[in-house]
Amino acid sequence: MPRFSIVVPSHGVAGRLSQALDSVLAQSFGDFELIPVCDAPDAPAADVVAGYAERDSRVTSVHSPPSAGLAGARNTGLKAAVGGHVLFLDGDDVLVPGALAALDARLSAVGDVDVLYFEHERTPWWEGEPTNPAAPLLARTPKGAFSPGRAPQLTGVALPAWSAVYRRAFLTERDLAFPGDHFTDVGFGGLVALRAERVAALRAVVVRHLLRRQGNRLGLPGEHHAELLDQTELVLTRAAEQDLPADRLKPLFEQLFAAVLKTAAHPRRLTSERRAFFRRASALYRRHRPAGYRAPGGSVGVQHRLLASGSYAAFRTLRAAHRTASRAAALLPRPRGLRTRLRYAAALRLPLDRNLVVYCAYWGRGYACNPAAIHAKARLLAPQLRSVFLVEPEAVGSVPPGVEHAVIGSRKYWQVLARAKYLVNNANFADAVVKRPGSVHLQTQHGTPLKTMGADQATYPVVAAATGSFAKLLARVDRWDYNLTSNRHSTEMWERAFPSAHETLEYGYPRNDIYCTASADDVARVRKALGVPDGKKALLYAPTHRDYATGFETGLDLAEFCEAIGDDYVVLLRAHYFYDQGSSRGGRRIIDVTGHRSSEDVCLAADALITDYSSIMFDYANLDRPIVAYADDWDVYRETRGVYFDLMELPPGRVARTPEELAAVFRDGSYADETATSLRAAFRERFCQFDDGRAAERVVRRVLLGEPPESIPPVIPLAERVPAPAATLVRS
């Protein structure tokens, strides 16, 4: 039995069907059957499918007449399927590279679930940026398998059928099929969610939905819009029969009627019988409204109340007024809130403060990384400058004493952004920030790129959706005057990923200065602060974020690992900064340092590093201490995330693929032997070019003090640098 059955209806898409089929057959994960559904043996799509069936035994076509519609085609394909899980793919959509591998990995991780929901990308046919409408629905789902009641917003009706993979036995045992014809995804998705007992989510794009120039068939004018009410009634009736709890019924009711209200107000969809549509919708609303239900606030809430009362004339008037107000509001300045917009606009008319520097790191997470290192050096070399660090409200407590700060979104925040001569960030400032003539924007970055970044993510939709609008991204890049790099590899990759007219500064990363300036006393102080026992070897375990995973999972049983390597070691666990909000994952020999403000301190404390594909390896290499790459899912990561080079061909040290291999390199000492040392030396030659301990000084002199390039201190050669000493290991 194959792992997946992939059903592909083909009516009306013969010209684009090859793209869909190619996207499936090109997957690295090959345990599937592909079931194209053709109108008839002599249909145009059947000729296309025949060629694929001859070349690949996994392709088996079935037939469904056009009169049966999309629902009939999918049901026919479902009946022919024999795989463990079923995936529905429209004939003009594609699976992204690595999609099936990501689905298989996620299903293996969460176990036997009825439905695995995932994200999808909507791609305009010509111009415009992709969107990911499923992401908000999946953002708050539990990290493992869960019952639908734990994620009541996941009703199924707001997601297309091709935004999930279904356990085939679940569909057949519950006798679930696609109902009706038009808006069949609404009915099917709702019924599936009502009957499912265990579901899971994959926060990664699996399907790329290619929008048609002529638009969605369901958006065209016609009488078929009445079928939206049929599907709404079907789902709500089943929910009532099932006595659905109130916390699940409310979001189901709201999502269904959000679609109903959108159709009722659309001037081009209901060319006739608008009043009849509204009256029937009103009756359904009153019949199925949850007990004690309170309509949303604002204009949407008014629409709900008008629908409940059946006031069609008032509803029509309200929608006309709303469209007029929306067009007027679009002309206002960009920051949210009228008062904020006006204040920011007024501040932009004031002269630049040539002694004001604004810093921000990791979208306001606190005083950290390159901006913090530059700030500290500027206080010494340019004390005349006023510096303000931007932080989120919850990060205010992490700001060191004596460092002026502004809370993001506050009045002071917008004032300093409008007036500052210098703006320093390791990510990007908000889209609403205006690049004023005469201002200087410095992008410091926050790592060396192994995984694809910026515009290069466009060919890896699994992560491109998380990036958002590439047009907006490049607009933010256009504000940069300088971009900082720590090695020539970064210089080349940043130029590809962030094409613009800014100047590249090959000065090194200021945050890495400490790796060449810290003393043995500094290392001892940090280890004591982190709780590392005297005489123990500290292994830093720092895994990166997985775009195809939900929540933080180490991928390694640290307790078992500690037992396997002996009592001489303790593990410092530092999860990716996406996951520093959770509870401690510490233990007797596992010290959770995820929430520690400084990753540099954590690296200084560690005698060796274990990581997978995190950019921390490039920074840690400056210490010339052993590094082990734990690459248990490299092939999946490479396909779903995209990488700039093959880490397995140029590793920073020993590579382990399994927990047993990882424990073995520490038991036998090979993690620090001559082979490991040789690999690390080659890695350092390529990636530690400019990090010599004086990066912050170079940045301050060039950017904040305006010194000419020829007066900037040159980079010290790698062979002449003396990294900070390790606590328990002797460097080769």
Side-chain angles (χ1 to χ4, degrees):
M1 179 176 68
R3 177 68 149 162
F4 299 107
S5 294
I6 305 170
V7 178
V8 186
S10 63
H11 177 67
V13 295
R16 299 172 66 176
L17 181 59
S18 293
Q19 297 180 36
L21 302 182
D22 287 342
S23 74
V24 176
L25 297 174
Q27 294 288 313
S28 60
F29 185 92
D31 188 14
F32 62 82
E33 63 171 350
L34 178 56
I35 308 175
V37 185
C38 303
D39 294 344
D42 57 348
D47 292 336
V48 175
V49 171
Y52 284 88
E54 291 176 2
R55 296 189 297 271
D56 198 314
S57 60
R58 295 172 297 179
V59 181
T60 304
S61 65
V62 295
H63 303 101
S64 177
S67 59
L70 178 62
R74 287 174 173 169
N75 290 333
T76 298
L78 177 59
K79 290 177 182 178
V82 297
H85 292 81
V86 181
L87 175 67
F88 298 97
L89 183 69
D90 282 358
D92 52 354
D93 296 341
V94 297
L95 289 182
V96 302
L100 294 184
L103 288 175
D104 176 69
R106 186 66 179 145
L107 287 170
S108 298
V110 299
D112 195 23
V113 295
D114 297 326
V115 187
L116 173 63
Y117 295 100
F118 51 74
E119 297 175 7
H120 62 271
E121 180 186 78
R122 293 181 178 270
T123 305
W125 76 276
W126 182 246
E127 291 183 348
E129 297 299 329
T131 59
N132 186 347
L137 288 173
L138 303 184
R140 293 176 284 114
T141 54
K143 68 176 184 178
F146 56 92
S147 63
R150 293 182 60 194
Q153 81 280 3
L154 206 57
T155 67
V157 302
L159 293 174
W162 37 259
S163 197
V165 61
Y166 311 88
R167 186 167 61 88
R168 185 174 62 86
F170 160 71
L171 296 180
T172 55
E173 291 168 2
R174 303 296 194 282
D175 197 25
L176 290 167
F178 288 88
D181 186 5
H182 297 92
F183 301 97
T184 185
D185 283 8
V186 173
F188 180 78
L191 296 177
V192 164
L194 289 174
R195 300 300 302 275
E197 296 178 357
R198 294 182 77 249
V199 300
L202 171 61
R203 296 177 194 166
V205 172
V206 172
V207 172
R208 184 185 302 143
H209 176 58
L210 305 178
L211 298 175
R212 300 164 174 239
R213 183 185 180 193
Q214 62 271 35
N216 191 322
R217 295 188 186 99
L218 297 181
L220 299 176
E223 297 178 355
H224 63 278
H225 288 283
E227 293 187 42
L228 173 59
L229 300 181
D230 295 339
Q231 303 287 359
T232 298
E233 184 172 14
L234 170 64
V235 174
L236 289 176
T237 299
R238 294 287 177 84
E241 294 171 352
Q242 193 172 313
D243 196 19
L244 197 68
D247 61 338
R248 292 187 61 191
L249 182 58
K250 178 183 175 182
L252 176 64
F253 180 85
E254 286 188 339
Q255 290 179 25
L256 285 168
F257 277 96
V260 170
L261 286 168
K262 183 177 180 180
T263 297
H266 202 290
R268 288 172 293 181
R269 292 183 181 177
L270 295 170
T271 55
S272 62
E273 301 299 321
R274 293 182 188 173
R275 189 181 298 272
F277 181 95
F278 186 89
R279 287 177 176 173
R280 184 185 171 195
S282 178
L284 285 173
Y285 188 99
R286 292 191 297 270
R287 185 186 315 149
H288 294 283
R289 179 171 46 189
Y293 176 74
R294 296 182 62 183
S299 176
V300 174
V302 175
Q303 294 178 48
H304 274 255
R305 288 188 285 274
L306 293 177
L307 186 63
S309 65
S311 304
Y312 175 70
F315 177 83
R316 183 177 56 187
T317 302
L318 173 68
R319 291 301 300 161
H322 179 72
R323 287 194 295 271
T324 301
S326 297
R327 287 193 292 267
L331 301 176
L332 291 173
R334 291 180 293 173
R336 293 182 178 180
L338 178 58
R339 186 175 299 176
T340 301
R341 294 170 185 163
L342 295 176
R343 286 174 176 167
Y344 183 54
L348 288 172
R349 290 194 292 268
L350 299 175
L352 283 175
D353 185 339
R354 299 189 177 278
N355 288 320
L356 176 58
V357 189
V358 171
Y359 298 88
C360 189
Y362 297 118
W363 305 275
R365 287 179 58 247
Y367 186 83
C369 196
N370 292 318
I374 296 171
H375 172 271
K377 184 62 68 172
R379 297 177 79 176
L380 297 175
L381 299 181
Q384 73 278 13
L385 298 177
R386 175 195 173 196
S387 299
V388 179
F389 229 94
L390 307 181
V391 292
E392 290 286 358
E394 59 270 19
V396 169
S398 70
V399 179
V403 175
E404 184 179 356
H405 69 275
V407 175
I408 291 177
S410 67
R411 185 173 183 175
K412 180 180 180 180
Y413 165 84
W414 288 108
Q415 287 177 336
V416 296
L417 282 174
R419 299 290 310 280
K421 163 78 172 182
Y422 306 99
L423 295 97
V424 182
N425 207 326
N426 73 348
N428 263 307
F429 291 100
D431 291 338
V433 173
V434 175
K435 174 68 165 70
R436 297 187 62 179
S439 65
V440 177
H441 286 238
L442 169 64
Q443 169 59 247
T444 73
Q445 303 295 347
H446 53 270
T448 291
L450 167 61
K451 59 190 178 185
T452 54
M453 301 293 292
D456 287 341
Q457 294 177 353
T459 57
Y460 292 90
V462 171
V463 293
T467 304
S469 166
F470 283 98
K472 290 183 178 180
L473 169 65
L474 294 178
R476 295 190 290 269
V477 172
D478 286 340
R479 295 186 304 211
W480 302 354
D481 293 288
Y482 300 104
N483 184 37
L484 202 57
T485 76
S486 59
N487 47 64
R488 190 58 48 81
H489 163 79
S490 294
T491 299
E492 296 173 0
M493 297 308 105
W494 293 147
E495 288 179 357
R496 283 178 43 184
F498 305 115
S500 190
H502 55 262
E503 180 180 347
T504 297
L505 300 179
E506 293 183 323
Y507 287 176
Y509 282 160
R511 71 180 186 188
N512 292 343
D513 285 352
I514 194 170
Y515 298 143
C516 292
T517 61
S519 65
D521 289 341
D522 294 324
V523 173
R525 172 184 52 79
V526 172
R527 286 169 65 90
K528 182 177 181 180
L530 294 178
V532 179
D534 291 340
K536 296 290 186 180
K537 298 183 179 72
L539 307 179
L540 172 58
Y541 177 51
T544 192
H545 168 62
R546 300 296 197 278
D547 297 282
Y548 53 85
T550 301
F552 173 70
E553 298 177 4
T554 65
L556 178 68
D557 190 319
L558 292 178
E560 290 186 2
F561 173 69
C562 287
E563 289 298 320
I565 61 177
D567 292 335
D568 291 338
Y569 300 92
V570 295
V571 172
L572 305 176
L573 169 62
R574 188 169 182 83
H576 190 276
Y577 59 79
F578 284 2
Y579 312 118
D580 66 354
Q581 306 300 318
S583 59
S584 174
R585 294 168 284 266
R588 184 177 64 87
R589 294 180 56 196
I590 304 170
I591 304 172
D592 191 342
V593 295
T594 301
H596 190 74
R597 179 181 62 83
S598 171
S599 62
E600 295 77 51
D601 281 357
V602 173
C603 287
L604 284 175
D607 299 293
L609 169 68
I610 304 170
T611 188
D612 39 28
Y613 326 117
S614 171
S615 65
I616 198 172
M617 73 178 79
F618 302 100
D619 305 314
Y620 191 84
N622 286 287
L623 289 167
D624 197 15
R625 302 177 190 175
I627 302 174
V628 177
Y630 179 52
D632 59 331
D633 61 348
W634 170 249
D635 293 334
V636 174
Y637 184 87
R638 179 176 56 185
E639 288 197 31
T640 56
R641 187 57 174 88
V643 294
Y644 286 122
F645 66 92
D646 190 343
L647 183 65
M648 301 301 100
E649 294 183 359
L650 188 66
R654 292 287 188 178
V655 176
R657 294 279 194 166
T658 67
E660 293 75 19
E661 291 180 4
L662 182 62
V665 300
F666 285 95
R667 282 199 307 267
D668 63 21
S670 59
Y671 76 102
D673 64 7
E674 291 184 4
T675 298
T677 301
S678 177
L679 291 170
R680 185 170 72 252
F683 192 85
R684 281 166 47 80
E685 284 287 341
R686 182 174 181 183
F687 297 113
C688 297
Q689 289 172 286
F690 310 137
D691 289 336
D692 64 348
R694 302 189 68 180
E697 177 186 353
R698 283 190 282 269
V699 171
V700 171
R701 292 190 182 281
R702 176 69 191 284
V703 178
L704 302 185
L705 296 178
E707 295 183 7
E710 57 271 16
S711 68
I712 304 302
V715 174
I716 300 172
L718 184 64
E720 298 177 17
R721 303 175 203 167
V722 180
T728 64
L729 296 177
V730 177
R731 187 179 299 105
S732 299

